[in-house]
Amino acid sequence: MPPIRLNIQDLGSQDRALIQNFKPLPRSVNLLFWAKKEAQSKVASPAALREIHILRERLEALIKPDRSHGAQPFLMRYQDGTDSVEIMGHYESGLEFDGDLRFPYFNSFGVRMLAVEPYWLSDGQDVQQLTSSKEVAGADRVIARIDGEWQALGAGANSTVREFARDPVTGDVYAAGAFTSMDGVANTRGIARWDGENWNAVGTGLGNGSVRAIAIGPGQNPTVRTLYIGGDFTSVGGTTAFRIASYDIDGNSWSEMGQDDGLDDTVRAIAVNRDGDLYIGGNFVDSELSTITLNHLAFYDVSADSFVTVGFGPGLNMSTGGTVVYGIEMDLDGRTPMISGLFDREVGGTAGDLDGVAIYDYAANVFDEPGTDGVENSDSRRAALAPDGRFYIAGNFTNIGVVDANNIAVYTREDWLPLGQEGDGVVGVNKIIRNIQVDERGRAYFGGSFDALTGADFAERVGSWNGTSFSHLDVELPLPGNEVLGLLLNGRDIWLGFITGGTAAQASFIHTIENRGKASADVILEVLGPARLLWLENQTTGDVIRMDLMVDPTETVTLDFRQGKQNFVSNYHGNVGNGILPDSDLSDFKLIPGNNRLAFFARDTDANTEISLRWGIRHWSFDDVVWAQSTG
């Protein structure tokens, strides 16, 4: 085996370090040449060293750098294994010779070759034909990427899916929205539960209206999980409940909330704080019986079953003449909410004090506008907290703070920064971002009605941001007229809820590809058009090549991802490297030994399209093929 350099990161004052990665280094291959002595003879055979001198002279003539064009390597082949394997080497030392020619038994010499490519390569390559995409039929208004594969969930919904919530104990996913039936299951109006295989009713569902907000918390009993829904309904599970209700998951029963029978207008946001109490936002002004004024934002004390005012509440936006709270996201402390919506002040305050976004200090019972300013003459729809403490905010605006930002920005805890190039994050005519979520790695996902994201033209209705650039996903939703409203992240799983159904979605095709070598292999992707290349992911390693590259009919494109040899060329257009998006794992993408699960996605193909992936078979040592031979 070649030597390995371990790249480590010291862990502060701790008496250990973290191994980040490893790098195989160039290695020496030592060749020994000798003259054999006959067993019964007391003298060397041949008695003189003339022949070995002649052979050494011939070898020297072969490997002199000026005879082999300097940097040209030698190919050395090992043929006694199951495969013939080769390694490329350059002469390094051995022929300087420091022995005594008068010594009759000194009849051998060594030559050391340096292999800068440290792996043994099998003679030839493996090739896999790739399927460009798959049709996801039945993805009516809901689709999910589970274990790396996009799939329909039953027959979907008969109308819009707006929100999701995941049960942290069972892993079941609740979908909510304006549908009256999910997968044809009875009593699934507005709310349904996916158990991993089928959709199920949640009690007897809504009696009327729809659901616009959903959350799961501990409820009055910390050992009992409670599902909360808000919307424009007045009845759920046979119980009168005005716009907000709770569901005892274990007890399978619905209840109204608050001593005033609920709220007087639509609920659009619910967030659970660390104590299990709720913040609720929407269009409402009062409780249903008008005994308490809440002004679009309420705190729900679970133990007291009562609504409580939150400051004076968000106030009128004079530019639009309306006030709505669309989103609520809890901060890292689990007690401080960030509120997004359509408002420009606290009730009784000065216009511009709270422009579409506010942080509520629960201890001081006051609102504060984050950064130097909020959004003007428009609204924010949703905020999402990243693991590093940043807040992403999205909606329908063109600036935030003092920067231009098309519908998406990030709050650094000091001020607002735009996403994209000079703030042009979302492009196109229809460009509202309705939902935003951030995964545990810090990647932000967006859903809405937008046509594209900066630098990611295929990111229509749904896309992501890795901290420096936008990308599309490996799915194309039914279009036109669609809009992504619901978005749920569960580890690497992604759930999408949207408006339009009846047409199949298109998504990446999953391949199982075997690397027969004992070392990782770099790959080359070859395409004969027409095609639009979009996605190549090794789900076994987690590395992704994100592309947006148009290949014309009869055009041949070769994308060489081999380390040190990366080259992306077309026989029509020359270099096509700009078709590889910045958000790609170019330096890490490879096939590991054994089976690899690959997702590949391309669109606009026809019967003439040919797409193949090829790679060389590499081994750490020729012992890999010797052992394979001896064990069968």
Side-chain angles (χ1 to χ4, degrees), residues 12 61-62 116 118 173 216 263 337 410 472 557 569 573 587:
L62 284 173
V116 293
V173 173
I216 294 179
L263 300 167
V410 62
H472 52 253
V557 166
V569 296
H573 303 107
S587 61

Side-chain angles (χ1 to χ4, degrees), residues 134 144-151 474 508 510 539 597:
K134 76 166 187 176
R145 192 180 201 256
I146 300 175
D147 295 330
E149 185 170 8
W150 289 100
Q151 52 195 271
D474 55 329
S508 59
I510 303 299
Q539 296 182 352
R597 179 184 165 99

Side-chain angles (χ1 to χ4, degrees), residues 193 327 425:
R193 176 177 61 87

Side-chain angles (χ1 to χ4, degrees), residues 573-585:
H573 303 107
N575 190 308
V576 291
N578 59 351
I580 310 297
L581 299 189
D583 186 14
S584 294
D585 302 311

Side-chain angles (χ1 to χ4, degrees), residues 39-60:
Q40 304 302 320
S41 175
K42 294 183 179 179
V43 297
S45 178
L49 298 178
R50 178 175 180 274
E51 296 300 327
I52 199 170
H53 285 312
I54 292 174
L55 293 174
R56 187 167 55 200
E57 183 180 13
R58 291 175 179 172
L59 180 64
E60 178 186 350

Side-chain angles (χ1 to χ4, degrees), residues 366-405:
V366 296
F367 287 97
D368 182 40
E369 187 173 65
T372 55
D373 202 355
V375 299
E376 295 183 4
N377 304 324
S378 194
D379 61 81
S380 61
R381 298 299 175 100
R382 193 66 65 94
L385 179 67
D388 63 0
R390 294 185 175 202
F391 267 110
Y392 287 92
I393 195 155
N396 182 28
F397 52 84
T398 57
N399 60 71
I400 188 167
V402 294
V403 300
D404 292 333

Side-chain angles (χ1 to χ4, degrees), residues 471-485:
S471 299
H472 52 253
L473 303 186
D474 55 329
V475 66
E476 183 178 30
L477 298 177
L479 295 172
N482 215 337
E483 187 170 6
V484 172
L485 302 180

